[in-house]
Amino acid sequence: HVLVFNTADPLLKDKRIRQALSLAIDRAALNKALWEGHAQIPPGHQLPSFGEMFLKDRPGYRFDPARARALLAEAGYKGERIGYRIIPNYYQRGGEAAQIMLEMWKAVGLNVEMETVENFTQVRAKGLQIHPWSNTYRLPDPSGALLVNWGPNALIQTRFKHFEPPPAFNEAAKALIGGATMADRRKAFSTLLDIFEDEMPMTTLYNPIAIFAMRNNITWSPYPIHYMDFRPDVFRVG
């Protein structure tokens, strides 16, 4: 689960405000309150399943309310209203997360208000500033994750125009795809994440958990995606 910050918005075009929005979020507290501590908080837009491409030493998205307040002061933020546009109950515990984050943002001086809508057409309509989103990882590699969702050919750049990166971001994306060695690709990915986390078009919250319960006479294995296949060759009773 992530939050999208519309970098084309007149107020949020100042990346210091976007950075402050991220720094104000206590992800550990969200994890404890909503997931009993079982959700994963990855170090940035990546997962351990990336294997050699996983940059385990990165700090990821930090919680630092003092830095958030300082950035807001530098940006000259004067309490302007910021809209958090959400489809209630679309994402598991998304409504509860929103209410908690509103209080976290308020604590550092951000004036964020919830805007409830019915569908993603309304979410992405004129005036969008922040909205929750999920980032599916198609492949265990940044080319099938970060680039699919945020890269040069991603809809958020080409169609919705909510992320207008500096040229160096898309150049690093090309280097990631075309890297001749794993070392070259890791270097490009590190550069990509440095730019991405500084520009802050989004922030990662957590990877939510899925819990399944079944009788002990049922044979079935859950999948890592929310797809419940009950065909005879994968589901048996008795």
Side-chain angles (χ1 to χ4, degrees):
H1 290 185
V2 307
L3 301 182
V4 175
F5 303 136
N6 182 4
T7 66
D9 175 76
L11 180 62
L12 298 190
K13 67 181 180 182
D14 189 327
K15 69 181 179 182
R16 293 172 295 186
I17 296 178
R18 304 195 300 269
Q19 291 168 351
L21 284 159
S22 178
L23 288 164
I25 299 172
D26 186 343
R27 292 158 188 80
L30 286 174
N31 189 8
K32 182 178 179 180
L34 301 177
W35 308 100
E36 297 184 4
H38 295 297
Q40 295 179 336
I41 303 175
H45 203 292
Q46 55 169 346
L47 294 176
S49 59
F50 285 9
E52 285 187 71
M53 291 299 294
F54 180 61
L55 308 178
K56 64 180 181 179
D57 295 327
R58 294 190 66 87
Y61 294 96
R62 299 177 295 113
F63 171 53
D64 189 340
R67 179 59 179 158
R69 295 186 191 96
L71 285 169
L72 292 174
E74 289 177 17
Y77 176 74
K78 296 180 173 60
E80 294 92 334
R81 179 189 180 278
I82 299 172
Y84 181 71
R85 198 172 287 177
I86 183 174
I87 305 171
N89 301 318
Y90 183 88
Y91 292 116
Q92 187 179 10
R93 299 183 181 173
E96 294 89 338
Q99 293 177 57
I100 295 170
M101 288 188 294
L102 289 180
E103 294 303 314
M104 292 176 175
W105 286 324
K106 182 179 179 181
V108 301
L110 284 156
N111 177 24
V112 184
E113 295 182 3
M114 196 182 309
E115 302 172 353
T116 58
V117 295
E118 296 181 353
N119 54 59
F120 270 98
T121 298
Q122 294 175 346
V123 165
R124 296 187 173 107
K126 184 178 180 180
L128 170 67
Q129 293 178 299
I130 308 173
H131 78 84
W133 198 29
S134 62
N135 276 191
T136 301
Y137 287 15
R138 277 74 166 177
L139 298 169
D141 184 273
S143 63
L146 178 61
L147 296 193
V148 170
N149 292 291
W150 297 90
N153 298 318
L155 292 180
I156 203 158
Q157 281 202 48
T158 62
R159 178 179 174 185
F160 303 126
K161 309 293 186 182
H162 295 156
F163 176 37
E164 300 177 0
F169 178 84
N170 287 341
E171 290 169 6
K174 293 176 183 177
L176 173 64
I177 293 292
T181 68
M182 193 62 74
D184 291 338
R185 298 190 71 238
R186 282 174 58 87
K187 182 178 179 180
F189 185 36
S190 180
T191 299
L192 200 68
L193 287 180
D194 286 343
I195 298 169
F196 193 63
E197 292 170 10
D198 179 65
E199 289 295 316
M200 199 68 71
M202 58 81 75
T203 192
T204 297
L205 298 181
Y206 40 66
N207 293 341
I209 58 173
I211 300 173
F212 300 87
M214 56 189 175
R215 298 198 309 267
N216 58 12
N217 67 332
I218 292 176
T219 301
W220 177 72
S221 296
Y223 295 90
I225 57 174
H226 295 170
Y227 176 66
M228 303 179 77
D229 187 348
F230 293 147
R231 289 175 294 178
D233 58 335
V234 295
F235 173 77
R236 294 195 308 275
V237 178

